[in-house]
Amino acid sequence: MTAQTVQQGDLVTVIGLEVHVQLETDTKIFCGCSTEQTDEPNENVCPVCLGLPGALPVLNEAAVEAAVKIGKAIDADIPEETRFHRKNYYYPDLPKNFQITQYDEPICADGDLEVAVEGDRRTVTIERAHLEEDPGSLQHVGGGGGIDSADYTRVDYNRAGTPLMEIVTAPDFRSPSEVRAFLAELEEVLEYLGVFDAERDGSLRIDANLSIIPEAEIESGDVTDIGADALAAANRTEVKNISSHKGAEKALAYEETRQKNAIQRGRAVEQETRHWDESRGITVSMRSKEEEKDYRYFEEADLPPLRVSGWKEEIAIPELPSARRERFQAEYGLNEEAASKLTSTKQVADFYEDVAGEFDPDLAATWVADNLLGELNYRDMDIVELEGRLEEVTRLVELVAEDEITAKNAHETVLRGMLDDGEAPDEIVEEEGLGKTDEDEVQQAVVEAIDENPDAVDDYESGDDGAINFLVGQVMQKTGGSADPGDVNQLLRAELEQ
């Protein structure tokens, strides 16, 4: 990451992430139970995901394929052979009392992901990414509803065994805002790969390790090169139960402030695991921080080594968001902001390219990035909700491109009507009488506006150029908003200068 020099007396924040991504597969990682979310607790379960004696796991091929795609996307090393291990610990949502995961032979290692942070491109090191099974979920009921205040807790094992990819970064982050930017970029990549559903509840969960290190302990004076000794000497907290980009930024900002305040007051920072209570906006202590030895890893005897040699080469990945952004800027002449909006999801990027293939790329960018996405965001909608209707949006762009309606009416009346009432663009144009007024009618309206507003004419002729805007408004009113404001402005000036 880019070098940053610290000032005397600074306390440096150091953050590393463990990002748990639920992979989009039809069945669980070691059994045939459905991964479909259901309101009925403990419905999609079997002896394997309940950890009953004698039940044997069988690895899901689709989960392995998704893991290989992620490895290729983060430019990681994918070994020819990898293994599964048992991670032993007791928790109510883990019925076997161990989790099948990967330990020292992960399916992906030594990767990286480039991220834009406040206009600066930075590369985050991804130390490893490994496959494992998700535990069940806990529902805290009564009392304050939190992990430390509920009257009792229910356990739902529907989630147990859902395939997870745990992505572990190096401690490369120096602020909560950097973490949020990384998570947004990572989610875009996962969505492009088709291995992840952001709308699925609990599909992205983050554990963050945060330490505060006094600048005096950084020998290099560079916050991006802290050194192993300083990192090892610092107590760190692990913050769990983070489930969104915004939540990560808020949780880590709180924890950063909590630790800095403790240090400045001469208090020790405990090495512990803390729970992010989103409703209260605070972290609360859960337990002392476990060390690797506490989990007593050993090989999973019921699963043979996983070999992907000869198969991983056949697994292809699509053009990723960063490459597509660069291509959009080069091929369509878009600026960085527009290219970022238009590649925010694969569906948006695909639709833009469809529209830009038929009409002017700048016009297509305005309509997709600004008008369409703006209206969808206002309604808390996503472009996937317009599946089957995107041809109607293309037709609306065509009406504007062919100069059949004004851009203002197309956006404010037609597009909004399409989204709110489900009508087709041509229907709205006909019902509202939005077809453009012919030139003779516009010219007649110009003449009438000049004749009926002598004061505005005098102001314009006296040098008040703003008076023309009033006259434009009068013409637009006479034409029912169907004239083009730019054309009206030109016609008025021509008429007034005769």
Side-chain angles (χ1 to χ4, degrees):
M1 298 179 75
T2 305
Q4 303 167 57
T5 302
V6 297
Q7 303 300 317
Q8 182 67 28
D10 278 348
L11 294 173
V12 180
T13 301
V14 181
I15 304 170
L17 301 180
E18 299 169 10
V19 185
H20 301 84
V21 178
Q22 282 189 348
L23 300 178
E24 189 72 2
T25 59
D26 294 332
T27 57
K28 296 183 180 181
I29 188 168
F30 297 124
C31 68
C33 290
S34 173
T35 56
E36 189 72 28
Q37 291 190 325
T38 173
D39 293 331
E40 188 66 29
N42 299 309
E43 181 177 27
N44 295 332
V45 295
C46 72
V48 174
C49 51
L50 286 177
L52 300 184
L56 295 176
V58 177
L59 183 59
N60 184 336
E61 181 179 333
V64 178
E65 183 174 341
V68 171
K69 287 182 177 180
I70 293 173
K72 289 187 173 187
I74 61 174
D75 196 26
D77 294 334
I78 303 173
E80 300 297 318
E81 182 176 291
T82 182
R83 296 175 185 272
F84 286 93
H85 287 73
R86 291 186 181 185
K87 180 180 181 181
N88 296 275
Y89 65 98
Y90 172 76
Y91 208 62
D93 57 9
L94 199 66
K96 296 192 294 285
N97 289 342
F98 66 85
Q99 179 189 38
I100 300 179
T101 183
Q102 295 184 301
Y103 178 45
D104 55 353
E105 298 179 74
I107 194 167
C108 304
D110 299 325
D112 57 63
L113 186 66
E114 192 174 80
V115 181
V117 181
E118 298 177 353
D120 183 23
R121 302 298 299 183
R122 303 186 188 178
T123 298
V124 175
T125 299
I126 296 175
E127 295 182 340
R128 56 183 286 142
H130 61 263
L131 280 167
E132 62 186 21
E133 59 181 338
D134 210 351
S137 57
L138 302 179
Q139 300 169 3
H140 306 295
V141 182
I147 192 170
D148 61 337
S149 58
D151 290 337
Y152 60 95
T153 298
R154 295 170 175 163
V155 186
D156 181 5
Y157 290 115
N158 280 332
R159 195 179 73 184
T162 298
L164 273 189
M165 191 76 167
E166 181 175 336
I167 299 170
V168 182
T169 76
D172 280 353
F173 305 99
R174 298 297 174 264
S175 72
S177 61
E178 290 181 9
V179 169
R180 183 172 183 174
F182 170 81
L183 292 172
E185 182 71 22
L186 177 63
E187 189 170 299
E188 283 187 14
V189 170
L190 296 170
E191 188 268 337
Y192 267 65
L193 293 174
V195 302
F196 167 78
D197 180 7
E199 299 302 315
R200 183 183 176 93
D201 185 38
S203 59
L204 185 78
R205 304 193 301 278
I206 304 106
D207 297 342
N209 292 289
L210 186 147
S211 303
I212 302 296
I213 299 177
E215 65 89 20
E217 297 179 13
I218 304 174
E219 295 181 3
S220 66
D222 176 6
V223 300
T224 65
D225 183 23
I226 289 177
D229 290 343
L231 284 172
N235 277 352
R236 71 177 188 274
T237 58
E238 180 182 32
V239 183
K240 302 180 79 72
N241 192 45
I242 305 172
S243 59
S244 68
H245 315 163
K246 185 177 180 181
E249 186 174 30
K250 290 173 66 177
L252 293 172
Y254 174 87
E255 185 61 20
E256 178 183 48
T257 300
R258 187 190 72 84
Q259 290 194 30
K260 285 184 176 180
N261 286 343
I263 292 170
Q264 288 167 349
R265 292 169 184 168
R267 300 174 184 169
V269 174
E270 298 295 329
Q271 183 153 312
E272 61 180 343
T273 297
R274 298 181 69 87
H275 173 92
W276 168 239
D277 189 325
E278 191 163 5
S279 63
R280 291 190 286 170
I282 63 172
T283 64
V284 296
S285 180
M286 289 177 64
R287 57 182 181 268
S288 61
K289 182 85 174 76
E290 294 97 340
E291 296 181 11
E292 191 175 275
K293 63 182 181 182
D294 297 325
Y295 293 118
R296 294 170 291 121
Y297 285 97
F298 60 84
E299 286 188 23
E300 172 54 74
D302 292 332
L303 288 170
L306 170 63
R307 296 184 178 91
V308 295
S309 57
W311 178 42
K312 66 181 179 181
E313 291 78 13
E314 300 173 3
I315 299 174
I317 63 172
E319 183 182 31
L320 297 176
S322 58
R324 208 165 191 182
R325 278 192 291 271
E326 292 177 5
R327 180 168 65 81
F328 277 18
Q329 292 179 70
E331 186 173 332
Y332 299 115
L334 303 178
N335 60 39
E336 186 175 353
E337 181 181 3
S340 294
K341 286 183 181 179
L342 290 168
T343 55
S344 58
T345 71
K346 189 173 184 298
Q347 291 90 342
V348 169
D350 289 344
F351 180 56
Y352 169 72
E353 294 223 76
D354 289 343
V355 179
E358 295 187 43
F359 308 105
D360 176 72
D362 286 337
L363 177 67
T366 296
W367 270 92
V368 178
D370 298 333
N371 298 344
L372 178 60
L373 292 185
E375 294 295 334
L376 289 174
N377 289 338
Y378 177 76
R379 291 163 177 77
D380 197 24
M381 294 174 65
D382 191 273
I383 195 169
V384 295
E385 297 177 56
L386 294 181
E387 188 174 355
R389 298 192 62 207
L390 290 176
E391 289 184 0
E392 295 179 4
V393 181
T394 304
R395 170 59 181 159
L396 179 56
V397 178
E398 181 182 15
L399 291 173
V400 176
E402 297 297 327
D403 211 27
E404 294 185 32
I405 58 174
T406 66
K408 184 174 186 293
N409 282 338
H411 181 186
E412 296 180 1
T413 304
V414 183
L415 179 59
R416 291 173 182 173
M418 290 167 62
L419 296 176
D420 293 336
D421 304 320
E423 292 186 82
D426 289 289
E427 293 175 1
I428 299 172
V429 170
E430 184 175 353
E431 289 170 4
E432 300 292 336
L434 298 178
K436 268 196 171 180
T437 307
D438 64 42
E439 291 184 12
D440 291 340
E441 290 182 36
V442 176
Q443 184 62 46
Q444 180 62 33
V446 166
V447 172
E448 291 176 3
I450 290 173
D451 290 343
E452 294 169 5
N453 298 279
D455 291 343
V457 172
D458 289 343
D459 289 342
Y460 176 76
E461 292 177 343
S462 299
D464 182 5
D465 197 64
I468 200 76
N469 295 329
F470 173 80
L471 294 172
V472 169
Q474 296 301 301
V475 175
M476 296 301 293
Q477 189 175 31
K478 288 178 179 293
T479 59
S482 60
D484 184 279
D487 294 343
V488 170
N489 190 301
Q490 293 179 12
L491 290 170
L492 281 166
R493 293 181 186 276
E495 189 72 24
L496 290 168
E497 290 171 5
Q498 287 183 2

